[in-house]
Amino acid sequence: MKTELDIPALVVFIFFFALVTVLGFVASRWHRPKTLASLDEWGLGGRQFGTWITWFLVGGDFYTAYTVIAVPSLVYSVGAYGFFALPYTILVYPFVFMVMPKLWQVAKDNGYVTAADVVHGRYGSRTLEAAVAITGVVATMPYIALQLIGMAAAVKALGFEGEWPLIAAFIVLALYTYSSGLRAPALIAFVKDIMIYIAVIAAVSFIPGKLGGYAAVFDAADQAFKAKGSGSILLAPGQYVAYATLALGSALAAFMYPHTLTGIFASKSATTIRKNAVLLPAYTLMLGLLALLGYMGHAAHLKLASNNDVVPALFQTLFPGWFAGFAFAAIAIGALVPAAVMSIGAANLFTRNFWKAYVNPDVTNAQEAGVAKIASLVVKVGALLVIIYLPTQFALDLQLLGGLWILQTLPALIFGLFTRWFTAPALLAGWAVGLFGGTYLTWMDGLKPLHLISIGSFSATAYVGLIALVGNVAVAVLLNVVVRKTAGPFTSDSWVGAPKA
């Protein structure tokens, strides 16, 4: 990949980056309420986002800059196995359609802002609430760091060296998030997604023609995998279980993250969420096209220092400089939207489930918003320091563990929406077994997402997060049987302890 400055690319990049920076600050006046000094307004945009805004916002923080970089990179590296992201994004939307409207209604009725609010409201347990909140914050931090890795790949392709471009982008992101809250990424998401769509459609239309057509692209990828001795353009039979469990586990985890739930809670109605569950699969089409860029990297015979460079190198090699700059700007802006929503989601958790729960139970609405703004800055600084001072692989490993960890909050958050059978002690025990057991398996396997299961003559590799979730639920069910014998049946279906400000 070229590393010298490309002036036309740089000019276009700066123009679009400046455009979204202005939008970020203008957003504070968009659908302006009487005041932004409340967590509902700053952290959830006043819970007034309709179908289109929610579509761009949820899509914007679900399909991130790192997705644009990582999915083609994985396909470039291992072939068909990297396409697990497609069934994952197909499986997730029926789950969203059936479950998220119920979750939204509970949050709306009781003034909940976070998943931990919902858990505390259902079970009245500060310990279980804290477990869900800590898991959410810890799982989010490396996810934000990965956005900065995606942005770094685009900035490096422009010819910049050193950390200062990332620091400058971080400062811009921090300032307009502080000023405008969730309205900033919601407004910028419009620009970001339109740019990503243009870049991807241009790439899948133009690049194959330059490389001899799709047949030549697949043939080149097949030859490259055979020469390397690993990877394939088709799944091997031994990969079927791993592929399926990775897709299912990732789908179940996706809407447990604070940033995706923030998009759900900010929606105007349950109908808005259902409509989005129908419309959001359009992003899956884009993801499939994007993944094909990995195969195109082989056909273009790119010389890469890192697999993460495959998308920037394709644009740099096969497009004029100005369009490469446009694509790099799309990737960089694609980092800002999810990073902003992630930091807001983590800040909401800190404010509601640590500050209000343990430090100042009588905090006012304005004080809540103030604490959340400061917390969002701290979260971003933490992610930036991870990128600057720790090896990139460390952030990747943490993000892998983050997916495993956040999946273990599913029983506490989702089961309570439909049944009062479970108790807080049982769910807490299940969470602990899933979290620590899954982490142990991952650690023993050398920080790999898959674990070999052998039962009699049957053996297969499966996603560790899903294995841990099965253990989590099994422990919760068994312990709950014991707990309920002593606690007696529940007679109330009320939501308790709603932490209204």
Side-chain angles (χ1 to χ4, degrees):
M1 191 169 70
K2 293 184 288 186
T3 55
E4 64 271 20
L5 275 178
D6 184 330
I7 299 303
L10 184 60
V11 170
V12 174
F13 181 91
I14 291 175
F15 170 80
F16 280 101
F17 206 85
L19 173 66
V20 299
T21 300
V22 171
L23 284 177
F25 287 105
V26 169
S28 65
R29 300 179 179 278
W30 183 41
H31 294 288
R32 187 179 180 84
K34 291 181 180 177
T35 176
L36 280 173
S38 80
L39 210 53
D40 256 24
E41 291 295 343
W42 183 85
L44 293 181
R47 301 180 194 258
Q48 61 171 328
F49 293 158
T51 301
W52 284 111
I53 298 174
T54 301
W55 190 76
F56 280 105
L57 181 62
V58 175
D61 64 42
F62 194 45
Y63 297 89
T64 66
Y66 191 69
T67 303
V68 174
I69 296 296
V71 171
S73 164
L74 188 60
V75 170
Y76 178 83
S77 174
V78 301
Y81 190 71
F83 280 87
F84 85 90
L86 265 70
Y88 142 46
T89 57
I90 293 170
L91 290 170
V92 74
Y93 295 118
F95 176 76
V96 171
F97 187 91
M98 292 186 290
V99 175
M100 290 299 133
K102 174 75 172 175
L103 182 61
W104 176 88
Q105 193 65 58
V106 167
K108 173 72 174 177
D109 291 346
N110 296 282
Y112 301 144
V113 174
T114 68
D117 279 355
V118 177
V119 169
H120 178 253
R122 173 51 100 190
Y123 301 103
S125 167
R126 285 293 183 201
T127 308
L128 187 58
E129 173 195 13
V132 171
I134 290 170
T135 307
V137 172
V138 173
T140 300
M141 291 286 287
Y143 216 151
I144 300 174
L146 291 188
Q147 303 317 307
L148 299 183
I149 290 177
M151 183 184 289
V155 169
K156 188 174 76 172
L158 283 168
F160 287 114
E161 297 293 338
E163 309 294 351
W164 69 266
L166 271 183
I167 295 173
F170 157 79
I171 292 173
V172 169
L173 169 69
L175 289 178
Y176 70 61
T177 305
Y178 186 93
S179 169
S180 305
L182 193 63
R183 284 174 171 79
L187 189 58
I188 294 172
F190 284 94
V191 178
K192 170 253 184 185
D193 282 357
I194 290 170
M195 291 178 69
I196 290 280
Y197 268 109
I198 291 173
V200 171
I201 290 171
V204 299
S205 304
F206 180 76
I207 294 177
K210 297 275 287 187
L211 300 176
Y214 272 101
V217 168
F218 283 107
D219 184 60
D222 188 43
Q223 294 302 321
F225 290 131
K226 287 177 178 173
K228 190 170 66 170
S230 63
S232 169
I233 61 171
L234 296 175
L235 275 182
Q239 292 178 311
Y240 292 166
V241 174
Y243 186 88
T245 56
L246 199 56
L248 178 59
S250 300
L252 293 175
F255 276 79
M256 297 300 107
Y257 279 103
H259 59 282
T260 46
L261 285 177
T262 296
I264 294 296
F265 290 160
S267 301
K268 185 167 63 177
S269 68
T271 302
T272 297
I273 296 168
R274 292 191 187 94
K275 286 180 179 176
N276 267 275
V278 174
L279 296 172
L280 276 167
Y283 279 97
T284 302
L285 174 62
M286 182 183 73
L287 189 62
L289 297 175
L290 195 59
L292 290 174
L293 296 182
Y295 287 159
M296 294 178 199
H298 288 295
H301 304 293
L302 301 176
K303 303 298 181 187
L304 305 176
S306 162
N307 290 338
N308 282 343
D309 293 336
V310 63
V311 171
L314 275 173
F315 280 103
Q316 199 176 46
T317 304
L318 298 171
F319 283 93
W322 67 268
F323 192 80
F326 176 85
F328 298 157
I331 295 170
I333 295 167
L336 294 181
V337 172
V341 183
M342 288 169 190
S343 68
I344 289 170
N348 289 346
L349 279 169
F350 176 81
T351 305
R352 270 298 175 87
N353 309 113
F354 294 107
W355 192 266
K356 185 178 177 67
Y358 297 105
V359 179
N360 184 5
D362 299 320
V363 63
T364 66
N365 286 338
Q367 288 170 333
E368 268 198 336
V371 171
K373 288 180 177 180
I374 299 298
S376 76
L377 291 178
V378 173
V379 168
K380 292 190 200 75
V381 170
L384 186 65
L385 292 178
V386 167
I387 295 302
I388 292 177
Y389 291 109
L390 294 178
T392 300
Q393 186 60 44
F394 186 74
L396 292 170
D397 293 339
L398 281 180
Q399 202 276 336
L400 162 67
L401 290 171
L404 185 162
W405 293 337
I406 202 69
L407 187 55
Q408 307 316 312
T409 65
L410 184 145
L413 179 63
I414 302 303
F415 290 179
L417 296 175
F418 301 98
T419 176
R420 282 284 283 157
W421 187 75
F422 284 95
T423 60
L427 289 169
L428 189 63
W431 168 84
V433 167
L435 190 112
F436 293 109
T439 303
Y440 174 76
L441 288 180
T442 304
W443 182 265
M444 293 301 291
D445 291 335
L447 289 174
K448 302 295 183 188
L450 302 171
H451 181 74
L452 178 63
I453 301 174
S454 296
I455 304 174
S457 60
F458 172 81
S459 67
T461 53
Y463 176 43
V464 178
L466 204 57
I467 297 171
L469 181 63
V470 171
N472 178 342
V473 174
V475 168
V477 169
L478 291 174
L479 188 60
N480 206 58
V481 171
V482 177
V483 171
R484 289 205 56 176
K485 282 185 178 178
T486 57
F490 295 107
T491 56
S492 170
D493 194 42
S494 64
W495 291 81
V496 298
K500 293 179 180 176

